Structure formats: structure tokens, C-alpha cells
């Protein structure tokens, strides 16, 4: 219940800060100032935008499919928000203790496809429909390498419980699963904790799995260079063309919520989750000193915010891919590489046993 209330209030706050941060990051990359007029350094610009959205009329075009059009933003937001139910914040704040937490999260993340298709079809607009079709094709394609990359981690950790995956990457590991640096069975680092026990260094191939996961998560979020469903230069605004006011705000809130969700999932699966990056070195018990409830929340969100920053960095650095390039990257490169890495992880797991 505590975790639910935490994310209920945190996601809107994150979206508020995230919009401002992205504007400033994009301005820095493009050598300009960004928001500067409303408040000092433009700090109140996003608050002004929220007030504007609250005052905007909720326009529903006459020719739309009214039910699909009205409920689509809620379906998208609910699907994204439901994914946070199984997120562990620390050793004590676990959220749902579902033993199949990984499958639950991936399932609900996939449900936003339904909302996007509802928005595009229900809008009765060619731009919206084209954007929705692009989005469905893109997300279904990139869910395959995304799912395979997650499966690599579950093969190594032998669990679908996100909290157990987290515990295996720190000094609180009480399971039979030991941590070995770079997969070498004679270098056990379970007692050290810190960055040495993170999954990304547990096996060399997991570093490349992490890269595939991150690229696929960008496509899941419809973020550039995979923002074809929204491509303003081609489709005005894609599946959300006809939306205004609060309904448009819900779609944007879902986008930033998805950014945070996939970043937290990446942190849990590869970057030690809520565990500290500082190891125990001799008499310096750095991992022990920086492990606890509040430390866990701090480390988890520090890693997640760093990944969100990289997502923003990528968006304002690389140009948008063409549709054929988008599909080629998924089916000809990411999926075969993910299958090969999954085979390597399975063989290594068998040899370890």
C-alpha cells in the first residue's frame, strides 16, 4: 500500500520535473537557453503549462468513436501505472510480492498498445490511425528483443521475483545463488557487494544484453530515434492529434511514466536495483554503511534518473529512423543477437550447476 501511494503521487511529480529537465537538456545540446521567462531560469514554466491544460476545453470531435476516444488515455495511463505495483523500492519496501513479477510487469507494459490503438482508431483521423498502426507494429516488434533480454537475466538468477533479483545483487543475498565476477567461478564476490555483484558484471554477455534492453525500451516508450508513432513532421502528432486538455496530459503523463518504469526495470535487472554501488573493502564496510530503507530508495532512483537522462540525451542527439530502418534493427539485428546471448546465458548456467 505504501508503494502504491508513493508512486501515485510521485509519477505526476516526476512528469512535472521531467518535462522541465528535458527542455533544459535539449536546450543545452542545441546550444540555446530553453525556458527562461516564467520564474527564475524558467522553473515555473511546467506549472504554467499545467494551469493552461486545466483551463483548456476538452474538445471531442463529432466524427470520433466517442467511447474509444474518451477511454483511450485512461487505458494507456492505467496500463503504465499498474506496472509499478511490483517494483521493490528497498529491502523493506517491496510492493507486491508476486513470484512472477517480471511477467506481470511485461504484461501490463504491453497493454498500452490497446490504448494507443483505441486512440488512433477512435479519433477517425488518418494521421492518428497511421500513428497508432505504427505504434502497434513498433511495440510488438521490439517486445521480442526486450522479452529475450529479460529472459537472459531470469535464466541467470533463476527467479521471476523482482525482489529476489534485487537481493542477489547485494550484500543481503541469503539465497544459494552466489555472485561471480565476470562469470569466473573462482572469483566469488558475494561478500563484497557493491558494483561487483551487479548483474551487468555477473556475466560479460549481460552487458550486451543491457544494451539490447535499453534500445528496445526506447522503442517501447516511443522515444526518439524511435518516435515514428508521434512523428510531428509527418503525422502532426500521431495517435494523439485530436486530443486536448487533460486527456492529452494523461497521454504525456503515461509517456514519462513509461520512461521511469523501464528505467527502474533496467536498474533492477542489470544495475543492482536498490543496492549500493559501494563495495565492502577490508575494514571499510562501505556497502554495509550505505544499505537501508532510505539508502535503497536513493540508489534505485539515482540509477533510474541517470537512465532517464540518457534517454533524453539520445532523443536530442540522434535523428529519427525510417520505418524500414526501425524494423530492420529489430528483426535482423536485435532479435538474433538476443537469441544468441540467451543461448550463451543458458549454457553458462548449465556449466555453473
Amino acid at each position: 500500500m505504501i508503494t502504491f501511494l508513493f508512486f501515485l503521487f510521485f509519477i505526476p511529480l516526476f512528469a512535472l520535473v521531467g518535462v522541465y529537465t528535458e527542455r533544459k537538456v535539449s536546450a543545452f545540446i542545441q546550444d540555446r537557453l530553453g525556458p527562461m521567462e516564467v520564474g527564475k531560469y524558467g522553473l515555473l514554466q511546467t506549472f504554467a503549462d499545467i494551469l493552461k491544460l486545466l483551463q483548456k476545453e476538452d474538445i471531442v470531435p463529432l466524427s470520433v468513436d466517442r467511447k474509444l476516444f474518451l477511454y483511450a488515455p485512461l487505458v494507456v495511463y492505467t496500463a503504465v501505472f499498474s506496472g509499478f505495483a511490483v517494483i521493490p523500492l528497498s529491502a523493506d519496501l517491496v510492493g507486491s510480492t508476486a513470484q512472477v513479477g517480471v511477467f506481470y510487469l511485461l504484461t501490463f507494459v504491453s497493454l498500452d498498445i490497446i490504448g494507443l490503438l483505441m486512440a488512433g482508431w477512435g479519433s477517425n483521423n488518418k494521421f492518428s490511425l497511421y500513428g497508432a498502426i505504427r505504434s502497434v507494429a513498433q511495440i510488438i516488434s521490439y517486445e521480442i528483443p526486450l522479452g529475450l533480454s529479460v529472459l537472459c537475466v531470469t535464466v541467470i538468477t533463476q527467479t521471476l521475483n523482482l525482489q529476489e533479483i534485487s537481493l542477489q545483487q547485494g550484500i543481503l543475498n541469503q539465497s544459494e545463488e552466489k555472485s561471480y565476477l565476470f562469470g569466473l567461478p573462482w572469483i566469488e564476490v558475494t561478500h563484497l557487494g557493491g558494483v561487483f555483484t551487479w548483474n551487468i558484471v555477473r556475466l560479460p554477455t549481460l552487458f550486451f544484453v543491457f544494451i539490447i534492453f535499453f534500445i528496445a525500451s526506447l522503442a517501447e516508450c516511443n522515444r526518439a530515434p524511435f518516435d515514428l508513432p508521434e512523428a510531428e513532421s509527418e503525422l502532426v502528432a500521431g495517435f494523439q492529434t485530436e486530443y486536448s486538455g487533460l486527456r492529452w496530459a494523461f497521454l504525456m503523463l503515461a509517456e514519462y511514466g513509461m520512461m521511469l518504469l523501464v528505467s527502474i526495470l533496467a536498474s533492477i535487472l542489470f544495475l543492482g536495483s536498490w543496492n549500493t554501488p559501494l563495495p565492502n573493502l577490508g575494514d571499510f564496510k562501505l556497502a554495509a554503511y550505505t544499505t537501508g530503507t532510505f539508502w535503497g530508495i536513493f540508489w534505485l532512483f539515482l540509477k533510474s534518473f541517470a537512465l532517464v537522462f540518457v534517454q533524453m540525451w539520445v532523443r536530442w542527439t540522434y535523428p529519427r529512423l525510417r520505418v524500414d530502418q526501425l524494423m530492420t534493427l529489430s528483426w535482423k539485428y536485435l532479435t538474433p543477437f538476443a537469441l544468441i546471448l540467451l543461448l550463451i546465458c543458458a549454457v553458462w548456467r548449465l556449466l555453473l550447476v
Side-chain angles (χ1 to χ4, degrees), residues 8-294:
L8 180 64
F9 293 102
F10 183 78
I11 294 176
L13 178 62
F14 167 76
L16 196 66
V17 176
V19 170
Y20 174 80
T21 303
E22 181 152 19
R23 287 175 171 179
K24 284 296 186 181
V25 169
S26 65
F28 176 78
I29 292 174
Q30 297 175 347
D31 196 22
R32 53 188 176 83
L33 295 178
M36 291 294 291
E37 297 296 326
V38 185
K40 190 175 182 61
Y41 303 114
L43 286 170
L44 299 179
Q45 182 63 57
T46 49
F47 290 97
D49 292 339
I50 293 296
L51 290 176
K52 179 182 70 175
L53 287 173
L54 291 174
Q55 297 176 66
K56 273 185 174 291
E57 181 182 359
D58 182 19
I59 300 174
V60 180
L62 291 175
S63 58
V64 303
D65 186 317
R66 191 172 183 84
K67 288 185 178 179
L68 293 180
F69 183 84
L70 294 179
Y71 291 126
L74 294 178
V75 171
V76 175
Y77 178 75
T78 302
V80 174
F81 182 75
S82 299
F84 287 94
V86 292
I87 296 297
L89 295 175
S90 68
D92 303 320
L93 299 177
V94 183
S96 172
T97 56
Q99 293 301 314
V100 290
V102 173
F103 279 165
Y104 169 91
L105 197 151
L106 293 179
T107 300
F108 273 89
V109 166
S110 302
L111 288 179
D112 71 330
I113 298 176
I114 299 174
L116 298 181
L117 190 58
M118 288 171 59
W121 180 266
S123 294
N124 196 23
N125 178 301
K126 292 182 179 179
F127 292 115
S128 300
L129 180 59
Y130 195 30
I133 293 174
R134 279 184 174 185
S135 183
V136 172
Q138 173 176 313
I139 293 177
I140 290 176
S141 298
Y142 278 85
E143 274 183 353
I144 295 176
L146 183 76
L148 290 173
S149 60
V150 173
L151 191 57
C152 289
V153 176
T154 59
V155 165
I156 298 300
T157 59
Q158 293 291 288
T159 180
L160 297 172
N161 188 313
L162 291 173
Q163 181 69 343
E164 291 181 12
I165 294 175
S166 302
L167 288 169
Q168 288 185 25
Q169 299 179 75
I171 59 173
L172 299 180
N173 183 13
Q174 300 295 327
S175 68
E176 297 180 357
E177 299 296 329
K178 303 301 181 182
S179 296
Y180 301 98
L181 189 62
F182 303 127
L184 303 174
W186 56 84
I187 309 180
E188 183 181 340
V189 292
T190 308
H191 62 286
L192 294 179
V195 68
F196 297 115
T197 53
W198 291 3
N199 281 336
I200 201 170
V201 296
R202 192 170 180 177
L203 188 65
T205 53
L206 286 182
F207 172 78
F208 301 101
V209 172
F210 170 70
I211 298 300
I212 292 175
F213 179 91
F214 184 76
I215 294 174
S217 68
L218 288 177
E220 285 282 319
C221 298
N222 291 329
R223 300 281 297 181
F226 307 102
D227 60 337
L228 287 172
E230 299 180 16
E232 292 87 350
S233 58
E234 306 169 30
L235 306 177
V236 183
F239 58 85
Q240 57 192 22
T241 299
E242 299 293 348
Y243 285 94
S244 63
L246 278 179
R247 298 188 193 280
W248 182 87
F250 269 110
L251 290 173
M252 293 304 299
L253 193 62
E255 178 180 324
Y256 278 86
M258 179 68 84
M259 289 173 59
L260 180 63
L261 181 60
V262 297
S263 297
I264 291 178
L265 181 59
S267 300
I268 293 173
L269 294 178
F270 300 98
L271 304 179
S273 186
W274 40 259
N275 290 290
T276 175
L278 305 176
N280 288 329
L281 299 174
D283 293 332
F284 297 97
K285 304 295 184 180
L286 300 179
Y289 296 149
T290 55
T291 297
T293 301
F294 294 105

